[in-house]
Amino acid sequence: MSTRPPVRDRGPAIVFEQVTKRYDGVSAVDALSMSIDAGTFVALVGTSGSGKSTLMRMINRLDQPDQGCVRLDGCDVQQEDVIKLRRSIGYVFQNVGLFPHMTIAENIAIPRRIAGAEPVDIGAALERVGLPADFAGRLPAQLSGGQQQRVGIARALAGQASYLLMDEPFGALDPVTRDQLGHTCRRLHDELGLTTILVTHDMAEALLLADRVIVLARGRIVGDATPREMLAGKVGTEADAMMAVPRAQAARLAELGG
Ligand code: ADP
Ligand code: MG
């Protein structure tokens, strides 16, 4: 459970206004509205197919709403210059997507190079995510899965991103590595004053890392609460059902421990 001090109020940073996205006539995101304050760490949870990735993709315009509007810092993302928009967003995917033939340094530098932005301080970028500077010359295959994902995070944050969007970034990793990476993300979020959305299907991870947990089902929000409220069962039945597994596990572990 979160024991962090409350986030300073910096106003809405990510706003969805009645956003609908359909595929083949079926709504993946259904008239969804939400407002996320700057500086908030949100965990977005929901079963497979509930619309999490579609929601995320509409923020950096990999997808376009059929109806409604997504705003970043008050501006409709559809009206923004797409390069400028994506430069403000660090995006981390589940399959890290490093270029296998490029060194770690080149992988971190490439989005900035394409955007014509200033070069990245690779040493600082690596240090930020807890990797040694001499990894710069290695190839992705010479790193573990967790280390590769750290490079993915370093790359996402190499520019001046003020948003960090992560779509199931730890899905393929073992629980220990996953836990360490989660803490790294939370630390970077706090240090850099980011606004973060982490998509995860792991409710325990969501409760431990986030300031706010949003539960999605069928493209709609069925729960929106702080971890403390979630644990106290102060959400709707459907969202509370997602708490059943972590609650049962906690109870069983407590029992085992006597
Ligand atoms: P999640 O990330 O929560 O698993 P998605 O946003 O990927 O959910 O998908 C939500 C729904 O939209 C699913 O029913 C999925 O099949 C559908 N969908 C997502 N992307 C596409 C696409 N490019 N083409 C057709 N259907 C899609
Ligand atoms: Mg997804």
Side-chain angles (χ1 to χ4, degrees):
M1 192 185 302
S2 176
T3 51
R4 285 171 226 105
V7 175
R8 184 160 45 93
D9 183 15
R10 295 185 350 218
I14 303 174
V15 174
F16 277 59
E17 293 172 359
Q18 289 289 311
V19 174
T20 295
K21 174 70 191 179
R22 295 185 202 91
Y23 294 109
D24 311 317
V26 180
S27 295
V29 169
D30 189 7
L32 184 146
S33 294
M34 67 173 185
S35 175
I36 295 172
D37 280 341
T40 308
F41 193 124
V42 170
L44 185 62
V45 298
T47 52
S48 184
S50 56
K52 305 181 297 294
S53 295
T54 303
L55 184 155
M56 297 284 271
R57 287 199 303 266
M58 285 191 285
I59 299 174
N60 78 341
R61 277 177 61 183
L62 287 169
D63 249 336
Q64 191 179 331
D66 292 310
Q67 270 151 23
C69 165
V70 178
R71 291 183 192 282
L72 237 56
D73 278 328
C75 301
D76 182 347
V77 296
Q78 294 301 325
Q79 310 298 324
E80 288 270 330
D81 174 62
V82 74
I83 304 263
K84 186 167 156 264
L85 173 77
R86 291 187 186 158
R87 210 183 288 172
S88 72
I89 301 171
Y91 210 107
V92 182
F93 303 89
Q94 173 169 0
N95 53 345
V96 193
L98 300 180
F99 296 103
H101 307 299
M102 291 187 188
T103 64
I104 298 307
E106 287 164 342
N107 267 287
I108 292 174
I110 197 160
R112 300 262 296 159
R113 219 172 63 213
I114 289 170
E118 266 125 69
V120 183
D121 180 342
I122 299 294
L126 286 170
E127 189 188 355
R128 185 183 267 174
V129 295
L131 292 177
D134 64 8
F135 273 30
R138 292 199 191 184
L139 292 171
Q142 294 171 299
L143 270 58
S144 71
Q147 289 167 337
Q148 286 185 31
Q149 193 51 285
R150 284 182 187 272
V151 174
I153 296 164
R155 179 179 56 184
L157 296 174
Q160 266 91 52
S162 47
Y163 299 94
L164 179 58
L165 304 182
M166 297 182 283
D167 195 349
E168 304 206 29
F170 317 136
L173 303 171
D174 68 85
V176 173
T177 305
R178 205 181 162 110
D179 188 56
Q180 289 167 345
L181 269 170
H183 282 101
T184 298
C185 288
R186 180 71 217 199
R187 172 177 59 75
L188 288 168
H189 167 92
D190 292 330
E191 282 176 12
L192 301 173
L194 303 171
T195 305
T196 300
I197 304 180
L198 168 71
V199 171
T200 175
H201 51 242
D202 184 336
M203 182 56 95
E205 186 171 270
L207 295 169
L208 289 167
L209 291 176
D211 302 310
R212 177 176 171 191
V213 180
I214 295 178
V215 185
L216 223 56
R218 300 171 307 280
R220 293 165 173 264
I221 294 175
V222 297
D224 183 351
T226 64
R228 200 175 285 272
E229 289 163 346
M230 291 286 300
L231 284 162
K234 290 180 186 161
V235 284
T237 320
E238 194 163 359
D240 194 58
M242 300 218 34
M243 295 293 296
V245 172
R247 275 208 195 99
Q249 282 176 335
R252 261 181 272 149
L253 288 171
E255 228 169 83
L256 278 175

